Amino acid sequence: MDPSHVVSQLLKEDIIPDVVSSDFLPTVFFTPVWLDGKEATLGNFLTREDTLEEPQIHLHSRLSAEAFTASYTLVMTDPDAPSRADPKYRQFRHWVITGLKIPPIAESSTLIETQTSTTPYRPPGPPPGSKVHRYSQYLV
């Protein structure tokens, strides 16, 4: 995946600068995939029903040697809680997993084995009438 494409999509959806800083440059690419095969990709729309169960995390990048020794944290937030017009609960935490390790045999589309969540998965649930929310997932 091309980092400039990711940045351009994040700018298009105002994730940059609303959620991450303007100097953000992605280095590890991944996709949350739900049991029915639905994927969260840049800017796509998923219903609440699509995302009820905790997703799996699939990597999509060639990784440096340092990536295999690093420990990662996966975070899913809602920057539009309770609505984009009134984000008083901005960055509502929907899911956090700490201590993730990338398996040493990781290649494109490798599944990261997750562990017990620090914050258990809470599916999206925007209030009625709040319009579309920009649920965001990050591997840091």
Side-chain angles (χ1 to χ4, degrees):
M1 186 170 283
D2 176 15
S4 64
H5 172 71
V6 173
V7 168
S8 113
Q9 288 298 112
L10 296 176
L11 285 165
K12 178 182 169 191
E13 298 299 331
D14 292 323
I15 298 296
I16 296 173
D18 287 359
V19 180
V20 295
S21 69
S22 58
D23 62 351
F24 175 74
L25 183 63
T27 57
V28 176
F29 304 99
F30 67 96
T31 303
V33 180
W34 282 265
L35 296 177
D36 65 357
K38 298 269 170 82
E39 297 183 0
T41 57
L42 293 168
N44 72 325
F45 179 82
L46 296 170
T47 66
R48 180 174 180 357
E49 292 73 27
D50 292 335
T51 60
L52 288 176
E53 301 298 323
E54 184 175 299
Q56 296 179 325
I57 303 301
H58 293 260
L59 290 175
H60 297 287
S61 57
R62 296 186 58 120
L63 302 169
S64 66
E66 296 85 32
F68 300 113
T69 59
S71 179
Y72 294 92
T73 298
L74 175 76
V75 178
M76 177 179 162
T77 66
D78 177 3
D80 302 324
S83 70
R84 194 163 178 181
D86 181 25
K88 62 186 167 196
Y89 304 124
R90 171 166 285 208
Q91 300 305 358
F92 184 88
R93 185 177 61 225
H94 279 268
W95 193 28
V96 176
I97 302 174
T98 59
L100 288 173
K101 297 283 188 177
I102 297 174
I105 57 167
E107 295 177 8
S108 183
S109 258
T110 297
L111 173 68
I112 296 179
E113 292 296 326
T114 58
Q115 55 196 41
T116 303
S117 300
T118 304
T119 298
Y121 180 74
R122 181 175 180 172
S130 66
K131 300 187 180 177
V132 174
H133 285 230
R134 302 169 296 165
Y135 293 91
S136 306
Q137 301 90 23
Y138 305 95
L139 195 62
V140 291

